[in-house]
Amino acid sequence: TPSASAYISADSIVGTRCGFFDGTAAFAALSGGFSLANDFTVSLWFNTVSTNRQALISTDGGGSYYTIDFDMGVVSFRINDGTGEQVVTANRTGLNDGLWHNVAGVRFGSQIHIYVDGDRIGTANMNPLYGGVGNGSPFVGKRGTSAMSDFFNGFVDEVAIWSRALTEAEIGQNAGAAYQTKGTTEYV
Protein backbone atom coordinates (compact mmCIF):
# COMPACT_ATOMS: atom_id res chain seq x y z
CA THR A 1 0.00 0.00 0.00
CA PRO A 2 1.61 3.31 -1.07
CA SER A 3 1.53 6.18 1.39
CA ALA A 4 2.40 9.88 1.45
CA SER A 5 3.74 10.93 -1.95
CA ALA A 6 4.76 7.51 -3.27
CA TYR A 7 3.30 6.99 -6.70
CA ILE A 8 3.30 4.68 -9.70
CA SER A 9 5.63 5.72 -12.50
CA ALA A 10 6.09 4.60 -16.11
CA ASP A 11 9.90 4.74 -15.73
CA SER A 12 10.22 1.01 -14.94
CA ILE A 13 12.97 -1.47 -15.75
CA VAL A 14 10.55 -4.43 -15.97
CA GLY A 15 7.05 -4.19 -17.40
CA THR A 16 5.43 -0.79 -17.69
CA ARG A 17 5.22 0.51 -14.09
CA CYS A 18 7.39 0.97 -10.98
CA GLY A 19 7.23 2.92 -7.72
CA PHE A 20 8.65 6.40 -7.17
CA PHE A 21 9.61 7.56 -3.67
CA ASP A 22 10.35 11.23 -2.89
CA GLY A 23 12.92 10.79 -0.09
CA THR A 24 10.90 12.72 2.48
CA ALA A 25 7.87 10.65 3.54
CA ALA A 26 6.95 8.28 0.70
CA PHE A 27 6.97 4.50 1.19
CA ALA A 28 4.96 1.39 0.39
CA ALA A 29 3.93 -1.15 3.02
CA LEU A 30 3.75 -4.72 1.76
CA SER A 31 0.87 -6.61 3.31
CA GLY A 32 1.49 -9.64 5.47
CA GLY A 33 4.72 -10.90 6.92
CA PHE A 34 7.03 -13.45 5.39
CA SER A 35 8.35 -16.08 7.78
CA LEU A 36 12.09 -16.11 7.17
CA ALA A 37 13.42 -18.62 9.68
CA ASN A 38 16.78 -19.31 8.05
CA ASP A 39 17.84 -19.11 4.39
CA PHE A 40 16.13 -16.43 2.28
CA THR A 41 16.60 -13.95 -0.58
CA VAL A 42 15.37 -10.38 -0.99
CA SER A 43 15.74 -8.74 -4.41
CA LEU A 44 14.69 -5.52 -6.12
CA TRP A 45 15.61 -3.02 -8.80
CA PHE A 46 16.44 0.59 -7.87
CA ASN A 47 17.42 3.82 -9.62
CA THR A 48 18.64 6.93 -7.75
CA VAL A 49 21.05 9.85 -7.87
CA SER A 50 20.86 10.49 -4.12
CA THR A 51 23.83 10.23 -1.73
CA ASN A 52 21.96 10.17 1.60
CA ARG A 53 21.56 7.03 3.71
CA GLN A 54 18.28 5.43 2.69
CA ALA A 55 16.46 2.13 3.09
CA LEU A 56 15.35 0.33 -0.06
CA ILE A 57 13.42 -2.37 1.82
CA SER A 58 13.24 -3.12 5.54
CA THR A 59 11.35 -4.96 8.26
CA ASP A 60 13.25 -3.08 10.99
CA GLY A 61 11.04 -2.38 13.95
CA GLY A 62 13.47 -3.43 16.63
CA GLY A 63 14.30 -7.05 17.37
CA SER A 64 14.59 -9.35 14.35
CA TYR A 65 14.71 -7.79 10.87
CA TYR A 66 16.38 -7.46 7.50
CA THR A 67 17.22 -4.29 5.57
CA ILE A 68 18.78 -3.46 2.23
CA ASP A 69 19.99 0.10 2.44
CA PHE A 70 21.93 2.58 0.39
CA ASP A 71 24.51 5.20 1.41
CA MET A 72 26.86 7.31 -0.71
CA GLY A 73 26.41 5.12 -3.80
CA VAL A 74 26.94 1.80 -1.97
CA VAL A 75 24.37 -0.85 -0.92
CA SER A 76 24.40 -3.02 2.22
CA PHE A 77 22.40 -6.04 3.37
CA ARG A 78 21.70 -6.14 7.12
CA ILE A 79 20.08 -8.87 9.16
CA ASN A 80 19.37 -9.11 12.87
CA ASP A 81 18.02 -12.12 14.77
CA GLY A 82 17.50 -10.02 17.89
CA THR A 83 20.98 -10.71 19.27
CA GLY A 84 22.96 -8.37 17.02
CA GLU A 85 23.22 -7.06 13.49
CA GLN A 86 25.21 -8.78 10.74
CA VAL A 87 26.16 -6.62 7.73
CA VAL A 88 27.61 -7.20 4.29
CA THR A 89 28.44 -4.13 2.21
CA ALA A 90 28.96 -4.17 -1.54
CA ASN A 91 32.47 -3.45 -2.72
CA ARG A 92 31.03 -1.66 -5.77
CA THR A 93 30.51 2.10 -5.58
CA GLY A 94 28.75 4.67 -7.76
CA LEU A 95 25.34 2.99 -7.74
CA ASN A 96 23.70 6.43 -7.51
CA ASP A 97 24.36 7.02 -11.21
CA GLY A 98 20.73 7.42 -12.32
CA LEU A 99 20.72 3.97 -13.93
CA TRP A 100 18.77 0.87 -12.92
CA HIS A 101 20.57 -1.66 -10.72
CA ASN A 102 19.41 -5.00 -9.36
CA VAL A 103 20.35 -5.78 -5.75
CA ALA A 104 19.83 -9.09 -3.97
CA GLY A 105 20.55 -9.92 -0.34
CA VAL A 106 20.94 -13.63 0.38
CA ARG A 107 21.26 -15.53 3.63
CA PHE A 108 22.63 -19.01 3.07
CA GLY A 109 23.67 -21.05 6.09
CA SER A 110 26.25 -19.12 8.09
CA GLN A 111 26.91 -16.49 5.41
CA ILE A 112 25.16 -13.45 3.99
CA HIS A 113 25.84 -12.25 0.46
CA ILE A 114 25.05 -9.15 -1.54
CA TYR A 115 24.70 -9.16 -5.31
CA VAL A 116 24.56 -6.17 -7.65
CA ASP A 117 23.42 -6.59 -11.25
CA GLY A 118 23.78 -10.38 -10.93
CA ASP A 119 27.34 -10.38 -9.54
CA ARG A 120 28.17 -11.39 -5.98
CA ILE A 121 30.19 -8.50 -4.66
CA GLY A 122 30.21 -9.06 -0.92
CA THR A 123 30.09 -11.91 1.60
CA ALA A 124 30.15 -11.93 5.40
CA ASN A 125 30.48 -14.91 7.71
CA MET A 126 28.36 -15.22 10.82
CA ASN A 127 27.82 -17.61 13.70
CA PRO A 128 26.23 -20.87 12.45
CA LEU A 129 23.74 -20.61 15.35
CA TYR A 130 22.50 -17.19 14.23
CA GLY A 131 18.67 -17.22 14.31
CA GLY A 132 15.94 -16.17 11.89
CA VAL A 133 14.89 -12.62 11.05
CA GLY A 134 11.24 -13.07 12.00
CA ASN A 135 8.15 -12.39 9.95
CA GLY A 136 7.81 -8.60 9.97
CA SER A 137 5.95 -6.88 7.16
CA PRO A 138 8.36 -5.20 4.72
CA PHE A 139 8.39 -1.50 3.95
CA VAL A 140 9.73 -0.34 0.58
CA GLY A 141 11.35 3.09 0.60
CA LYS A 142 11.86 3.44 4.37
CA ARG A 143 13.50 1.72 7.32
CA GLY A 144 10.65 -0.39 8.68
CA THR A 145 8.62 0.97 11.57
CA SER A 146 11.58 2.51 13.38
CA ALA A 147 11.79 6.22 14.16
CA MET A 148 14.86 6.66 11.93
CA SER A 149 13.01 6.41 8.66
CA ASP A 150 15.82 6.83 6.09
CA PHE A 151 13.31 7.47 3.28
CA PHE A 152 14.46 6.47 -0.22
CA ASN A 153 14.60 9.02 -3.04
CA GLY A 154 14.26 7.31 -6.42
CA PHE A 155 12.58 4.46 -8.25
CA VAL A 156 12.03 0.86 -7.07
CA ASP A 157 10.80 -2.00 -9.25
CA GLU A 158 10.17 -5.75 -8.95
CA VAL A 159 10.51 -6.37 -5.22
CA ALA A 160 10.72 -10.12 -4.56
CA ILE A 161 11.18 -12.16 -1.37
CA TRP A 162 11.94 -15.88 -1.33
CA SER A 163 12.01 -18.13 1.74
CA ARG A 164 15.12 -19.84 0.37
CA ALA A 165 18.55 -18.83 -0.85
CA LEU A 166 18.51 -18.39 -4.61
CA THR A 167 21.48 -19.85 -6.48
CA GLU A 168 23.95 -17.57 -8.25
CA ALA A 169 22.48 -18.74 -11.56
CA GLU A 170 18.95 -17.79 -10.45
CA ILE A 171 20.12 -14.37 -9.28
CA GLY A 172 21.87 -13.82 -12.60
CA GLN A 173 18.74 -14.86 -14.50
CA ASN A 174 16.62 -12.53 -12.37
CA ALA A 175 18.96 -9.61 -13.03
CA GLY A 176 19.21 -10.40 -16.75
CA ALA A 177 15.47 -10.92 -17.23
CA ALA A 178 14.71 -7.21 -16.90
CA TYR A 179 16.61 -6.45 -20.05
CA GLN A 180 14.61 -9.10 -21.91
CA THR A 181 11.15 -8.00 -20.73
CA LYS A 182 11.29 -4.18 -20.60
CA GLY A 183 7.93 -2.80 -21.65
CA THR A 184 6.48 -6.10 -22.85
CA THR A 185 3.98 -6.85 -20.11
CA GLU A 186 2.28 -5.45 -17.03
CA TYR A 187 3.75 -6.66 -13.71
CA VAL A 188 2.11 -6.30 -10.32
Side-chain angles (χ1 to χ4, degrees):
T1 306
S3 67
S5 54
Y7 65 87
I8 296 171
S9 170
D11 295 317
S12 65
I13 183 72
V14 176
T16 59
R17 301 283 186 268
C18 67
F20 177 77
F21 303 88
D22 68 2
T24 59
F27 66 92
L30 303 183
S31 60
F34 300 87
S35 181
L36 302 175
N38 291 303
D39 295 349
F40 68 95
T41 304
V42 178
S43 174
L44 58 84
W45 287 88
F46 73 96
N47 179 338
T48 188
V49 294
S50 181
T51 57
N52 298 335
R53 183 172 180 180
Q54 307 166 49
L56 295 166
I57 186 169
S58 179
T59 60
D60 188 355
S64 302
Y65 63 85
Y66 66 84
T67 297
I68 295 178
D69 62 12
F70 177 87
D71 192 14
M72 301 298 291
V74 177
V75 290
S76 296
F77 179 46
R78 303 169 184 278
I79 67 171
N80 191 330
D81 69 350
T83 64
E85 188 176 74
Q86 302 290 315
V87 181
V88 60
T89 300
N91 64 13
R92 182 170 161 197
T93 62
L95 298 175
N96 56 338
D97 56 8
L99 300 174
W100 282 100
H101 297 283
N102 178 263
V103 61
V106 178
R107 177 186 178 171
F108 183 61
S110 62
Q111 293 184 318
I112 55 174
H113 308 281
I114 192 160
Y115 293 78
V116 174
D117 297 333
D119 296 325
R120 183 174 47 166
I121 56 173
T123 296
N125 295 314
M126 57 188 193
N127 184 324
L129 301 177
Y130 199 75
V133 297
N135 61 352
S137 294
F139 289 85
V140 177
K142 82 174 233 173
R143 184 171 303 282
T145 60
S146 69
M148 55 177 214
S149 311
D150 295 339
F151 290 103
F152 180 67
N153 184 10
F155 299 93
V156 174
D157 201 4
E158 296 305 301
V159 174
I161 302 164
W162 292 267
S163 59
R164 66 180 181 88
L166 294 185
T167 66
E168 288 194 350
E170 289 172 318
I171 290 168
Q173 289 169 348
N174 188 43
Y179 299 106
Q180 299 168 12
T181 62
K182 171 68 177 133
T184 60
T185 189
E186 187 80 23
Y187 287 80
V188 179

mmCIF file of all heavy atoms in Angstrom, residues 145-167:
data_model
loop_
_atom_site.group_PDB
_atom_site.id
_atom_site.type_symbol
_atom_site.label_atom_id
_atom_site.label_comp_id
_atom_site.label_asym_id
_atom_site.label_seq_id
_atom_site.Cartn_x
_atom_site.Cartn_y
_atom_site.Cartn_z
ATOM 1 N N THR A 145 9.482 0.165 10.702
ATOM 2 C CA THR A 145 8.624 0.972 11.566
ATOM 3 C C THR A 145 9.432 1.835 12.525
ATOM 4 O O THR A 145 8.857 2.528 13.359
ATOM 5 C CB THR A 145 7.690 0.069 12.402
ATOM 6 O OG1 THR A 145 8.492 -0.792 13.214
ATOM 7 C CG2 THR A 145 6.780 -0.744 11.505
ATOM 8 N N SER A 146 10.748 1.790 12.418
ATOM 9 C CA SER A 146 11.581 2.512 13.377
ATOM 10 C C SER A 146 11.487 4.020 13.176
ATOM 11 O O SER A 146 11.085 4.511 12.126
ATOM 12 C CB SER A 146 13.039 2.063 13.263
ATOM 13 O OG SER A 146 13.586 2.499 12.045
ATOM 14 N N ALA A 147 11.858 4.755 14.208
ATOM 15 C CA ALA A 147 11.787 6.218 14.160
ATOM 16 C C ALA A 147 12.748 6.798 13.136
ATOM 17 O O ALA A 147 12.471 7.809 12.505
ATOM 18 C CB ALA A 147 12.084 6.793 15.543
ATOM 19 N N MET A 148 13.913 6.164 12.945
ATOM 20 C CA MET A 148 14.855 6.657 11.933
ATOM 21 C C MET A 148 14.422 6.103 10.581
ATOM 22 O O MET A 148 14.726 4.988 10.223
ATOM 23 C CB MET A 148 16.282 6.272 12.277
ATOM 24 C CG MET A 148 16.543 4.818 12.495
ATOM 25 S SD MET A 148 18.289 4.590 12.796
ATOM 26 C CE MET A 148 18.519 3.013 12.017
ATOM 27 N N SER A 149 13.712 6.886 9.844
ATOM 28 C CA SER A 149 13.010 6.411 8.660
ATOM 29 C C SER A 149 13.900 6.162 7.461
ATOM 30 O O SER A 149 13.664 5.251 6.696
ATOM 31 C CB SER A 149 11.923 7.410 8.270
ATOM 32 O OG SER A 149 11.156 7.735 9.380
ATOM 33 N N ASP A 150 14.921 6.979 7.240
ATOM 34 C CA ASP A 150 15.816 6.835 6.086
ATOM 35 C C ASP A 150 15.032 6.635 4.788
ATOM 36 O O ASP A 150 15.192 5.638 4.084
ATOM 37 C CB ASP A 150 16.791 5.675 6.293
ATOM 38 C CG ASP A 150 17.753 5.905 7.437
ATOM 39 O OD1 ASP A 150 17.945 7.068 7.822
ATOM 40 O OD2 ASP A 150 18.327 4.926 7.943
ATOM 41 N N PHE A 151 14.151 7.580 4.466
ATOM 42 C CA PHE A 151 13.312 7.472 3.280
ATOM 43 C C PHE A 151 14.140 7.475 2.005
ATOM 44 O O PHE A 151 15.091 8.241 1.870
ATOM 45 C CB PHE A 151 12.293 8.625 3.237
ATOM 46 C CG PHE A 151 11.240 8.519 4.286
ATOM 47 C CD1 PHE A 151 11.290 9.315 5.419
ATOM 48 C CD2 PHE A 151 10.195 7.619 4.143
ATOM 49 C CE1 PHE A 151 10.313 9.217 6.391
ATOM 50 C CE2 PHE A 151 9.210 7.515 5.115
ATOM 51 C CZ PHE A 151 9.274 8.313 6.242
ATOM 52 N N PHE A 152 13.758 6.612 1.052
ATOM 53 C CA PHE A 152 14.459 6.471 -0.223
ATOM 54 C C PHE A 152 13.983 7.522 -1.217
ATOM 55 O O PHE A 152 12.793 7.814 -1.293
ATOM 56 C CB PHE A 152 14.223 5.068 -0.791
ATOM 57 C CG PHE A 152 14.899 4.821 -2.103
ATOM 58 C CD1 PHE A 152 16.277 4.770 -2.185
ATOM 59 C CD2 PHE A 152 14.154 4.651 -3.258
ATOM 60 C CE1 PHE A 152 16.913 4.550 -3.401
ATOM 61 C CE2 PHE A 152 14.774 4.421 -4.472
ATOM 62 C CZ PHE A 152 16.153 4.374 -4.544
ATOM 63 N N ASN A 153 14.913 8.052 -1.993
ATOM 64 C CA ASN A 153 14.602 9.025 -3.039
ATOM 65 C C ASN A 153 14.983 8.413 -4.382
ATOM 66 O O ASN A 153 16.162 8.359 -4.724
ATOM 67 C CB ASN A 153 15.371 10.326 -2.808
ATOM 68 C CG ASN A 153 14.996 11.386 -3.812
ATOM 69 O OD1 ASN A 153 14.050 11.238 -4.577
ATOM 70 N ND2 ASN A 153 15.750 12.469 -3.820
ATOM 71 N N GLY A 154 13.991 7.911 -5.116
ATOM 72 C CA GLY A 154 14.256 7.313 -6.416
ATOM 73 C C GLY A 154 13.171 6.315 -6.785
ATOM 74 O O GLY A 154 12.075 6.326 -6.229
ATOM 75 N N PHE A 155 13.513 5.444 -7.716
ATOM 76 C CA PHE A 155 12.580 4.455 -8.253
ATOM 77 C C PHE A 155 12.911 3.069 -7.714
ATOM 78 O O PHE A 155 14.088 2.724 -7.560
ATOM 79 C CB PHE A 155 12.666 4.411 -9.785
ATOM 80 C CG PHE A 155 12.321 5.713 -10.445
ATOM 81 C CD1 PHE A 155 13.311 6.634 -10.759
ATOM 82 C CD2 PHE A 155 11.005 6.025 -10.755
ATOM 83 C CE1 PHE A 155 13.004 7.836 -11.370
ATOM 84 C CE2 PHE A 155 10.682 7.222 -11.361
ATOM 85 C CZ PHE A 155 11.685 8.130 -11.674
ATOM 86 N N VAL A 156 11.875 2.262 -7.472
ATOM 87 C CA VAL A 156 12.028 0.863 -7.073
ATOM 88 C C VAL A 156 11.095 0.026 -7.935
ATOM 89 O O VAL A 156 9.954 0.417 -8.188
ATOM 90 C CB VAL A 156 11.700 0.640 -5.580
ATOM 91 C CG1 VAL A 156 11.721 -0.840 -5.230
ATOM 92 C CG2 VAL A 156 12.672 1.413 -4.701
ATOM 93 N N ASP A 157 11.585 -1.124 -8.386
ATOM 94 C CA ASP A 157 10.797 -2.002 -9.246
ATOM 95 C C ASP A 157 11.051 -3.460 -8.852
ATOM 96 O O ASP A 157 12.141 -3.801 -8.377
ATOM 97 C CB ASP A 157 11.196 -1.773 -10.712
ATOM 98 C CG ASP A 157 10.137 -2.221 -11.704
ATOM 99 O OD1 ASP A 157 9.040 -2.642 -11.299
ATOM 100 O OD2 ASP A 157 10.415 -2.147 -12.919
ATOM 101 N N GLU A 158 10.065 -4.295 -9.069
ATOM 102 C CA GLU A 158 10.166 -5.749 -8.954
ATOM 103 C C GLU A 158 10.749 -6.230 -7.631
ATOM 104 O O GLU A 158 11.746 -6.944 -7.593
ATOM 105 C CB GLU A 158 10.982 -6.319 -10.126
ATOM 106 C CG GLU A 158 10.344 -6.102 -11.470
ATOM 107 C CD GLU A 158 8.929 -6.644 -11.543
ATOM 108 O OE1 GLU A 158 8.726 -7.848 -11.338
ATOM 109 O OE2 GLU A 158 8.019 -5.845 -11.799
ATOM 110 N N VAL A 159 10.122 -5.863 -6.534
ATOM 111 C CA VAL A 159 10.512 -6.371 -5.222
ATOM 112 C C VAL A 159 10.098 -7.841 -5.132
ATOM 113 O O VAL A 159 8.972 -8.191 -5.469
ATOM 114 C CB VAL A 159 9.834 -5.560 -4.100
ATOM 115 C CG1 VAL A 159 10.110 -6.184 -2.736
ATOM 116 C CG2 VAL A 159 10.278 -4.113 -4.149
ATOM 117 N N ALA A 160 11.025 -8.692 -4.691
ATOM 118 C CA ALA A 160 10.722 -10.122 -4.556
ATOM 119 C C ALA A 160 11.389 -10.665 -3.298
ATOM 120 O O ALA A 160 12.517 -10.294 -2.975
ATOM 121 C CB ALA A 160 11.219 -10.880 -5.784
ATOM 122 N N ILE A 161 10.677 -11.544 -2.599
ATOM 123 C CA ILE A 161 11.177 -12.159 -1.373
ATOM 124 C C ILE A 161 10.952 -13.663 -1.490
ATOM 125 O O ILE A 161 9.836 -14.102 -1.776
ATOM 126 C CB ILE A 161 10.449 -11.609 -0.136
ATOM 127 C CG1 ILE A 161 10.622 -10.086 -0.063
ATOM 128 C CG2 ILE A 161 10.948 -12.286 1.141
ATOM 129 C CD1 ILE A 161 9.665 -9.396 0.870
ATOM 130 N N TRP A 162 12.013 -14.429 -1.289
ATOM 131 C CA TRP A 162 11.937 -15.883 -1.331
ATOM 132 C C TRP A 162 12.319 -16.439 0.038
ATOM 133 O O TRP A 162 13.255 -15.943 0.662
ATOM 134 C CB TRP A 162 12.907 -16.465 -2.357
ATOM 135 C CG TRP A 162 12.592 -16.187 -3.776
ATOM 136 C CD1 TRP A 162 11.874 -16.970 -4.637
ATOM 137 C CD2 TRP A 162 13.036 -15.062 -4.560
ATOM 138 N NE1 TRP A 162 11.829 -16.387 -5.885
ATOM 139 C CE2 TRP A 162 12.538 -15.221 -5.857
ATOM 140 C CE3 TRP A 162 13.807 -13.936 -4.270
ATOM 141 C CZ2 TRP A 162 12.779 -14.307 -6.876
ATOM 142 C CZ3 TRP A 162 14.045 -13.019 -5.275
ATOM 143 C CH2 TRP A 162 13.536 -13.214 -6.557
ATOM 144 N N SER A 163 11.670 -17.502 0.467
ATOM 145 C CA SER A 163 12.010 -18.135 1.738
ATOM 146 C C SER A 163 13.067 -19.221 1.529
ATOM 147 O O SER A 163 13.072 -20.246 2.200
ATOM 148 C CB SER A 163 10.765 -18.711 2.412
ATOM 149 O OG SER A 163 10.162 -19.655 1.555
ATOM 150 N N ARG A 164 13.969 -18.964 0.618
ATOM 151 C CA ARG A 164 15.124 -19.840 0.365
ATOM 152 C C ARG A 164 16.231 -18.996 -0.246
ATOM 153 O O ARG A 164 15.985 -17.901 -0.755
ATOM 154 C CB ARG A 164 14.754 -20.987 -0.574
ATOM 155 C CG ARG A 164 14.399 -20.549 -1.984
ATOM 156 C CD ARG A 164 14.049 -21.743 -2.876
ATOM 157 N NE ARG A 164 13.743 -21.337 -4.230
ATOM 158 C CZ ARG A 164 14.645 -21.193 -5.204
ATOM 159 N NH1 ARG A 164 15.924 -21.421 -4.979
ATOM 160 N NH2 ARG A 164 14.272 -20.817 -6.414
ATOM 161 N N ALA A 165 17.424 -19.508 -0.213
ATOM 162 C CA ALA A 165 18.552 -18.829 -0.846
ATOM 163 C C ALA A 165 18.549 -19.164 -2.333
ATOM 164 O O ALA A 165 18.630 -20.338 -2.705
ATOM 165 C CB ALA A 165 19.868 -19.269 -0.210
ATOM 166 N N LEU A 166 18.407 -18.154 -3.177
ATOM 167 C CA LEU A 166 18.513 -18.395 -4.613
ATOM 168 C C LEU A 166 19.953 -18.753 -4.954
ATOM 169 O O LEU A 166 20.896 -18.297 -4.293
ATOM 170 C CB LEU A 166 18.112 -17.152 -5.407
ATOM 171 C CG LEU A 166 16.663 -16.688 -5.326
ATOM 172 C CD1 LEU A 166 16.434 -15.524 -6.284
ATOM 173 C CD2 LEU A 166 15.684 -17.804 -5.609
ATOM 174 N N THR A 167 20.127 -19.529 -6.002
ATOM 175 C CA THR A 167 21.475 -19.851 -6.478
ATOM 176 C C THR A 167 22.042 -18.650 -7.236
ATOM 177 O O THR A 167 21.288 -17.747 -7.644
ATOM 178 C CB THR A 167 21.458 -21.069 -7.409
ATOM 179 O OG1 THR A 167 20.734 -20.714 -8.604
ATOM 180 C CG2 THR A 167 20.813 -22.282 -6.740
#
